[in-house]
Amino acid sequence: MTYSLILLAHGSSDPAWRAPFEHFHASLATRMQVPLKLAYMELSEPSLESSVAELASAGLRRADILPLFFAAGRHLRKDVPAQVEALRSSHPDIELRLLPPVGEHPAFIDALAAVVAEQAEEALST
């Protein structure tokens, strides 16, 4: 295979914070036809850098990086693009594309709104 999708989360030193991302990754990986990796921007392993290095050494030619962020704040406007640019220099044989954060996708907004509405309805019925 020549392509992989990297799910990028912020990262935390707290394993409890990482658990939902790891569960999501494991669940999604069983549904996907393409290799799927979970990486963290900082404070956690696997880092984005180690994940890209692993993919490059495995001979993958292209990877999309999907930030699991609600919005594009400073990290996604400055820090992550700088990381990706450095990775492009370090691994010129793999094409890296940074996608918009999941929070900007209309389907994400709809799904999140449905969860919030469901929680509100449950609160009203108790």
Side-chain angles (χ1 to χ4, degrees):
M1 187 139 314
T2 61
Y3 170 79
S4 181
L5 178 63
I6 301 171
L7 303 174
L8 180 67
H10 182 278
S12 172
S13 59
D14 181 354
W17 180 91
R18 293 189 308 265
F21 293 97
E22 292 164 358
H23 176 73
F24 175 67
H25 170 255
S27 176
L28 186 57
T30 64
R31 303 175 197 183
M32 302 279 297
Q33 297 293 321
V34 299
L36 183 66
K37 298 208 53 85
L38 175 62
Y40 298 99
M41 186 195 88
E42 62 183 10
L43 304 172
S44 300
E45 285 295 329
S47 67
L48 181 57
E49 289 80 5
S50 65
S51 295
V52 170
E54 183 181 319
L55 293 173
S57 70
L60 268 75
R61 306 293 292 154
R62 185 168 66 97
D64 287 341
I65 302 164
L66 178 60
L68 300 179
F69 290 61
F70 278 4
R74 182 182 59 83
H75 282 319
L76 289 185
R77 288 192 316 271
K78 296 184 187 252
D79 301 334
V80 174
Q83 281 180 298
V84 172
E85 196 54 42
L87 288 165
R88 286 181 181 130
S89 296
S90 300
H91 304 284
D93 292 338
I94 186 168
E95 177 188 344
L96 299 172
R97 183 171 63 145
L98 181 60
L99 302 174
V102 294
E104 292 182 3
H105 195 285
F108 179 84
I109 302 299
D110 291 343
L112 184 60
V115 169
V116 170
E118 180 181 309
Q119 293 293 328
E121 289 174 18
E122 286 177 13
L124 287 175
S125 66
T126 58

